[in-house]
Amino acid sequence: MVGGKSWFGWLFNRSANKRQTFEFLTPLQEQRLQKLKDRLSVPFDETRPDHREALEALWHASFPETELKALISDQWKEMGWQGPNPSTDFRGCGFVSLENLLFYARTYPASFKRILNKRDGTRATWEYPFAVAGVNVSFMLIQMLELKSAKAKSIPALNFIRLLSEDEEAFDILYCIAFELMDAQWLAMEASYMQFKDVLEATKLQLERELSLEDIRRIRDVPAYNLLYR
């Protein structure tokens, strides 16, 4: 885990305090939660102009000085896709995973570039592939927040719905937080490629702790949000 033991002890004690949950969603919470769930049901479709444009926009945000020769190109491997056609990597999570990456690149460009280019820390010989890791982060958040379930039951998932009513971009911002936290966990664990699953699980556990804190009122109150501005 990232940080010293004393910090994590403090975090755990805070999350163990009495919590308030809610049984019924407000109309605004229902509306925004349904809108988010609708996003999750959209597959990536390389025949759709808006999907192709989003993919091109991601390339330009990542490598503004390098021309993309084609939507199917070995150039994509430079970003950490498995092959020359990124659309094959979106199948497990859909268009939302591309939206997440593009939001990250546009909203927190310094953080995005720092992680894309692996600028921090001592890195393993076998690094995690940036883009594929990003799709995995999207999938992890969807599972953790129970967004494919009929009704959220866990404290982190319920608290997230409250955050969503305060900020409609809460899911996208949480994605950026999760990516930063995942990279920090990677460095702290001195991980290599075969340990990526363990790093992602450690990231999930830490986010669950932070989303369980009773004094979280906005997505920007999540402690790991500060990682975006290192």
Side-chain angles (χ1 to χ4, degrees):
M1 292 292 185
V2 180
K5 291 183 179 179
S6 60
W7 185 76
F8 278 96
W10 167 80
L11 194 56
F12 180 81
N13 290 334
R14 290 176 73 204
S15 63
N17 292 335
K18 184 178 179 181
R19 307 180 184 98
Q20 280 189 322
T21 60
F22 48 89
E23 292 294 328
F24 302 102
L25 303 184
T26 67
L28 179 60
Q29 288 168 345
E30 287 184 347
Q31 177 189 9
R32 291 189 172 177
L33 182 59
Q34 187 57 54
K35 185 176 179 179
L36 176 56
K37 289 186 173 186
D38 289 343
R39 288 175 61 191
L40 306 184
S41 65
V42 179
F44 179 80
D45 184 351
E46 57 188 320
T47 68
R48 286 183 53 167
D50 56 332
H51 287 202
R52 294 199 304 271
E53 288 170 5
L55 193 55
E56 290 175 342
L58 178 62
W59 174 268
H60 294 310
S62 303
F63 307 107
E65 298 180 359
T66 304
E67 181 184 357
L68 179 65
K69 297 177 181 178
L71 280 181
I72 299 179
S73 167
D74 282 337
Q75 287 178 286
W76 288 108
K77 296 178 184 179
E78 297 174 28
M79 195 186 298
W81 300 103
Q82 294 184 82
N85 187 357
S87 66
T88 60
D89 291 325
F90 290 127
R91 289 173 184 164
C93 205
F95 183 57
V96 71
S97 54
L98 174 54
E99 288 183 310
N100 288 156
L101 280 167
L102 190 53
F103 178 90
Y104 189 15
R106 288 171 167 171
T107 310
Y108 305 102
S111 170
F112 178 87
K113 288 289 186 64
R114 187 175 64 247
I115 295 181
L116 170 66
N117 297 312
K118 309 290 178 67
R119 291 173 181 164
D120 288 345
T122 302
R123 296 284 173 172
T125 303
W126 281 19
E127 273 290 307
Y128 65 85
F130 174 83
V132 174
V135 175
N136 276 273
V137 170
S138 295
F139 185 79
M140 178 270 288
L141 286 180
I142 292 168
Q143 298 298 309
M144 183 188 79
L145 300 174
E146 303 173 34
L147 295 175
K148 293 276 180 87
S149 301
K151 185 177 181 182
K153 297 179 180 179
S154 70
I155 295 295
L158 291 169
N159 283 347
F160 169 75
I161 295 173
R162 186 177 68 240
L163 299 180
L164 190 62
S165 66
E166 295 297 324
D167 190 334
E168 194 168 7
E169 295 181 329
F171 179 75
D172 300 273
I173 296 172
L174 186 62
Y175 171 85
C176 303
I177 295 170
F179 212 138
E180 267 279 10
L181 184 57
M182 183 275 294
D183 188 72
Q185 298 280 19
W186 174 273
L187 292 173
M189 294 169 67
E190 298 181 345
S192 61
Y193 181 79
M194 298 303 293
Q195 295 172 288
F196 180 77
K197 183 178 179 181
D198 297 332
V199 172
L200 201 61
E201 180 62 22
T203 303
K204 174 177 173 289
L205 291 173
Q206 182 59 26
L207 283 174
E208 287 176 336
R209 290 188 182 101
E210 297 197 10
L211 286 172
S212 296
L213 299 175
E214 63 178 5
D215 55 351
I216 300 297
R217 296 291 179 266
R218 304 172 305 152
I219 190 64
R220 290 166 177 79
D221 293 334
V222 173
Y225 176 78
N226 293 326
L227 291 173
L228 293 167
Y229 294 98
R230 286 185 292 148

